[in-house]
Amino acid sequence: MEMVAKQKLPQKILNYVLLIILTAVVLGPFLIGLWTSLLPTMDIAKGNFLSLHISLTNYVDAFQKTPILQYLGNSLWISTLTTIAQLIFCSMSAYAFVFLRFRGRKVLFILFLATMMLPFEAEIIPNFMTVKAMGLLNTYSAMIVPFLTSAFGTFMLRQSFLQMPDELKEAADIEGLGHFQFYWKIVMPYNRISLITLGAYGFLGAWNQYLWPMLTTFSNAFRPVQNGLRQLQSEETFNDWGMIQATAAIVVIPTLIVLFVGQHYFKSGMNEGAVK
Amino acid sequence: MSISLRNVRKDYDQQTKVLEKVSAEVQTGEFFVIVGPSGCGKSTLLRMIAGLTPITDGEVRINDRVVNELPPKARKLTMVFQNYALYPFLSVWDNVAFGLKARKLSQSDVQNRVNNALKMVNLTDFKNRKPRELSGGQRQRVALARAVASDADICLMDEPLSNLDAQLRIRMRQEIYNLQRKLGLTLIYVTHDQVEAMTMADHIMVLNDQHVQQIGTPAEIYQHPANEFVAQFFGTPQINILPAKRSAENSHLLTVGSNDMQVALNEEVPADQLRIGVRPDELTISRADSVDSNAVVKNTEFLGNETIVYATLNSGDNVRAVLPGQVNFRGYEPIKVQVGSHLLFFNNDGERIGLTKEEAVHA
Ligand SMILES: Nc1ncnc2c1ncn2[C@@H]1O[C@H](COP(=O)(O)OP(=O)(O)OP(=O)(O)O)[C@@H](O)[C@H]1O
Ligand SMILES: [Mg+2]
């Protein structure tokens, strides 16, 4: 703050001009999208973007004429389950890497990390074969099972668990807490900021999946939102752009909620006193 | 709950041998203090008693039962860690209750114990706060309350006061002492602060150089230290240790420094070379002309009720003397330093030997 206050006026102006330009670049498309979602498709088609025929009709239409609710429900279900599963499995494997002593712990962890180097796209074909062989195509499972855990989540939580003071484990040993009690009553609450971060990350990752659901779902009953949007656009012979914009806006809302809530927790946790 | 250590040994690995032949008996209800310089293995010893660190060799017994293989929980003790180990996500009340709940005490029992413990450490008003909303001293007291609330009879504390400021430390010292007496706890207390050891302990164990140097009451340790290390560890300012020789003419006579002082013994001096230890308040200093003097003043420090005089003997040895009241010396003023009646004698290995000084001083 002090630094900013001490800056000379011209430099300050320059800074703000730059910031405003960047903000416009970043927010611009988003705002245009939001704006067009309020306009009748006729105006959009004519390129009359400054029209004043603003209404929420597109939104009402979206809910009434398209399976957007079904898509939202699918995505919510898939993302929630994926998030919960990732939190449980990643925290448990991270716990094992930090608090259990077993042979080959280091090697196993390196193997774990190595899987992070592999982009998901490279795994798509074998994954697809597996899912197909298991008869899971076009089910929720197809979109959840491959993402039940993540090497990144384990890695991130392991780093966080390693920061815990040894004395907490020792105090728990003296109180006679078993591994599961220690995990559940101390490790999880102690690291809740990391867990929330991972949860938000996992949720958004699942919510924004596109490639994988495109390959594994064929019906609206299981299709998540991102693919749903694409479907809407390709199904309609006459593209109702206003309505498609409205659905896109609806789809973004959960993402914004997750980010805002997550940020709130993240801030509150930053200055939490640790042990001493 | 008595604790007994028999020839306990700890090697972390081939190179790091930390403790050897540590033996001690701690009686029920005793305030037992372990002192020693940093890195001498105090925490290691405490953690071995708690069962957090395995023992390389020897035996730890609690109530006459060998507990070497027993997990920490089964040893029925509590531990106050140097950094408190509070759970930041729990309130003060829940922090204190945590262990009790984990031990599955009944709800009313937990309520009673926690409330009493918080009352005892004066934290009732803070029971809903989180640890981060407390001062260092208050956190310290939460850690103490956990030990107080526990139903265990043995309490281990690892330098619990080292993070506190001087005044708070004095107050907490008294609080811990009172609590221990009131609850009849068997308390093993680790510190590197000799004042804490002297003021609180029933018995003190002095550790250094992998070995127990001495175990005894504060008075024994101060008055009859087993060796030079113990003598130097206790008492401020530090004890003066001076080289001494058997006089060529009189085998009962010791000359200190280069004949700066003489000490007559009741018995024959057992070796050609000795070292004597004199507490700073056992030295007397008088002004003398340069013919008579055996030292010069280097520096004085006035502390209000006493004055510390730093002087150099003609032999070049430095001595510290504590004189009552305010005493003024000029720099390099010649003085005569004389030893009082309480002297300690050490052989060349630093072990104390029992010799007595003859009453009349032949100066
Ligand atoms: N886990 C460990 N592995 C190897 N060496 C260790 C380990 N823990 C302690 N040591 C070594 O053992 C010695 C004693 O350590 P310890 O912590 O018991 O000292 P301390 O007397 O408690 O010191 P302080 O007063 O500084 O706390 C030290 O030299 C330390 O380096
Ligand atoms: Mg220590």
Side-chain angles (χ1 to χ4, degrees):
Chain A
M1 290 311 246
E2 293 237 330
M3 292 278 291
V4 176
K6 276 184 198 152
Q7 279 170 354
K8 299 224 168 65
L9 192 65
Q11 198 184 353
K12 216 169 171 181
I13 292 172
L14 189 74
N15 278 349
Y16 276 95
V17 167
L18 259 175
L19 283 175
I20 289 167
I21 293 174
L22 283 177
T23 312
V25 169
V26 173
L27 281 186
F30 188 74
L31 291 178
I32 294 172
L34 205 63
W35 178 249
T36 44
S37 76
L38 300 171
L39 297 180
T41 301
M42 286 311 290
D43 284 0
I44 302 172
K46 279 189 242 149
N48 184 6
F49 287 106
L50 296 177
S51 127
L52 287 177
H53 302 131
I54 305 169
S55 73
L56 288 175
T57 343
N58 285 330
Y59 287 85
V60 177
D61 284 354
F63 280 114
Q64 283 173 350
K65 293 190 191 156
T66 71
I68 180 78
L69 266 182
Q70 174 76 41
Y71 296 152
L72 278 173
N74 291 343
S75 267
L76 200 65
W77 178 238
I78 293 166
S79 305
T80 309
L81 280 188
T82 308
T83 308
I84 293 174
Q86 284 195 3
L87 287 178
I88 292 175
F89 292 128
C90 292
S91 63
M92 282 187 160
S93 52
Y95 183 93
F97 281 124
V98 175
F99 293 103
L100 302 186
R101 319 220 150 261
F102 53 90
R103 284 187 48 172
R105 184 166 77 156
K106 275 214 180 103
V107 177
L108 199 62
F109 185 68
I110 291 170
L111 274 177
F112 229 81
L113 285 191
T115 65
M116 268 169 70
M117 317 262 173
L118 218 55
F120 179 72
E121 285 71 15
E123 302 164 16
I124 272 189
I125 292 173
N127 273 348
F128 183 81
M129 307 297 266
T130 314
V131 167
K132 190 177 171 205
M134 291 167 82
L136 295 179
L137 287 185
N138 206 30
T139 61
Y140 286 131
S141 306
M143 284 169 288
I144 296 173
V145 175
F147 309 101
L148 285 179
T149 184
S150 84
F152 168 75
T154 304
F155 172 72
M156 179 183 144
L157 291 182
R158 175 179 173 271
Q159 292 313 105
S160 170
F161 292 0
L162 282 175
Q163 306 283 322
M164 293 176 66
D166 294 343
E167 284 82 359
L168 290 184
K169 175 75 178 120
E170 292 173 351
D173 284 345
I174 288 176
E175 309 285 16
L177 265 66
H179 277 299
F180 192 75
Q181 281 179 308
F182 179 63
Y183 161 77
W184 188 247
K185 290 187 174 164
I186 296 176
V187 175
M188 294 299 263
Y190 192 93
N191 293 287
R192 64 188 182 289
I193 302 305
S194 302
L195 289 167
I196 288 169
T197 312
L198 178 64
Y201 185 86
F203 189 92
L204 294 182
W207 188 267
N208 292 327
Q209 282 270 359
Y210 180 72
L211 184 59
W212 179 251
M214 188 179 79
L215 294 174
T216 52
T217 52
F218 326 123
S219 74
N220 282 343
F222 300 107
R223 194 166 275 145
V225 279
Q226 311 297 346
N227 304 81
L229 281 183
R230 169 89 191 121
Q231 186 69 15
L232 286 185
Q233 195 226 334
S234 58
E235 256 174 21
E236 307 277 322
T237 40
F238 158 66
N239 275 339
D240 190 346
W241 281 111
M243 193 178 74
I244 290 175
Q245 279 303 341
T247 48
I250 294 169
V251 164
V252 170
I253 292 170
T255 308
L256 294 182
I257 294 177
V258 168
L259 284 180
F260 277 123
V261 173
Q263 195 189 28
H264 165 77
Y265 273 104
F266 191 65
K267 265 192 202 145
S268 77
M270 287 296 266
N271 48 10
E272 182 141 345
V275 173
K276 233 183 312 194
Chain B
M1 291 291 212
S2 61
I3 300 166
S4 134
L5 307 174
R6 311 228 167 135
N7 280 318
V8 171
R9 166 193 186 86
K10 179 70 195 176
D11 305 339
Y12 276 109
D13 50 53
Q14 286 302 315
Q15 286 83 37
T16 26
K17 300 185 176 10
V18 180
L19 291 168
E20 214 177 313
K21 289 199 205 126
V22 176
S23 298
E25 301 287 331
V26 182
Q27 305 301 331
T28 308
E30 189 175 324
F31 200 128
F32 191 86
V33 174
I34 302 173
V35 286
S38 184
C40 70
K42 305 180 296 291
S43 300
T44 304
L45 184 57
L46 201 68
R47 297 159 54 81
M48 288 196 291
I49 298 172
L52 298 169
T53 302
I55 299 168
T56 310
D57 195 18
E59 258 178 27
V60 176
R61 290 164 178 258
I62 296 180
N63 266 354
D64 250 342
R65 173 167 167 225
V66 180
V67 296
N68 285 18
E69 300 301 324
L70 230 50
K73 179 196 182 185
R75 303 188 183 198
K76 296 231 166 52
L77 40 78
T78 57
M79 185 155 173
V80 177
F81 291 89
Q82 187 165 349
N83 66 3
Y84 319 148
L86 302 181
Y87 305 119
F89 49 89
L90 293 179
S91 70
V92 166
W93 200 94
D94 288 320
N95 258 291
V96 178
F98 188 87
L100 302 175
K101 287 182 184 163
R103 282 171 195 244
K104 305 233 158 51
L105 268 66
S106 79
Q107 205 165 358
S108 62
D109 203 11
V110 172
Q111 293 263 345
N112 279 338
R113 283 176 171 279
V114 175
N115 291 337
N116 282 338
L118 287 180
K119 205 183 290 168
M120 224 178 265
V121 298
N122 280 326
L123 279 181
T124 311
D125 294 342
F126 297 86
K127 65 179 177 193
N128 293 323
R129 297 233 192 145
K130 292 279 170 61
R132 84 185 114 99
E133 298 158 349
L134 299 177
S135 74
Q138 289 162 341
R139 286 178 206 180
Q140 171 68 62
R141 280 185 279 162
V142 178
L144 279 181
R146 279 210 297 214
V148 170
S150 158
D151 51 348
D153 304 320
I154 298 176
C155 183
L156 310 177
M157 298 192 184
D158 193 353
E159 306 202 22
L161 305 186
S162 56
N163 296 320
L164 307 183
D165 67 61
Q167 289 202 340
L168 193 56
R169 200 181 299 187
I170 293 172
R171 223 182 60 220
M172 292 304 299
R173 211 154 72 196
Q174 286 158 353
E175 284 181 28
I176 291 178
Y177 183 80
N178 292 338
L179 280 175
Q180 186 266 340
R181 287 289 126 117
K182 194 146 67 175
L183 300 172
L185 287 175
T186 305
L187 179 56
I188 301 188
Y189 184 104
V190 164
T191 179
H192 58 246
D193 181 345
Q194 46 131 339
V195 181
E196 276 176 29
M198 292 298 280
T199 50
M200 299 200 283
D202 291 316
H203 284 101
I204 298 176
M205 171 196 273
V206 188
L207 276 182
N208 187 37
D209 200 14
Q210 303 170 18
H211 289 272
V212 175
Q213 302 293 319
Q214 187 172 6
I215 298 178
T217 64
E220 280 165 9
I221 298 254
Y222 189 78
Q223 288 159 4
H224 308 288
N227 52 40
E228 277 181 29
F229 175 82
V230 177
Q232 286 178 314
F233 198 82
F234 291 91
T236 33
Q238 229 179 30
I239 193 169
N240 299 296
I241 305 273
L242 300 168
K245 280 200 282 283
R246 179 164 55 193
S247 153
E249 300 95 59
N250 181 347
S251 62
H252 285 232
L253 203 61
L254 262 176
T255 62
V256 181
S258 55
N259 213 0
D260 297 324
M261 283 177 274
Q262 291 191 326
V263 178
L265 301 184
N266 281 326
E267 59 250 70
E268 235 176 54
V269 179
D272 289 348
Q273 304 268 337
L274 285 180
R275 290 147 79 77
I276 65 165
V278 202
R279 298 278 176 201
D281 54 352
E282 288 282 335
L283 283 177
T284 53
I285 289 182
S286 48
R287 287 170 212 275
D289 53 42
S290 32
V291 186
D292 234 6
S293 74
N294 61 2
V296 291
V297 172
K298 294 288 286 281
N299 189 16
T300 60
E301 286 174 1
F302 176 55
L303 301 179
N305 60 340
E306 57 189 20
T307 307
I308 305 176
V309 179
Y310 298 90
T312 307
L313 296 179
N314 290 347
S315 61
D317 295 302
N318 291 315
V319 292
R320 296 162 290 275
V322 173
L323 306 178
Q326 185 174 8
V327 190
N328 289 316
F329 285 106
R330 282 178 286 111
Y332 296 97
E333 184 169 346
I335 50 170
K336 188 169 172 65
V337 179
Q338 284 172 296
V339 294
S341 51
H342 291 99
L343 290 183
L344 301 170
F345 300 91
F346 302 100
N347 65 19
N348 276 334
D349 297 330
E351 305 289 334
R352 188 170 66 87
I353 42 182
L355 298 174
T356 52
K357 180 172 176 284
E358 199 175 88
E359 273 316 308
V361 180
H362 308 256

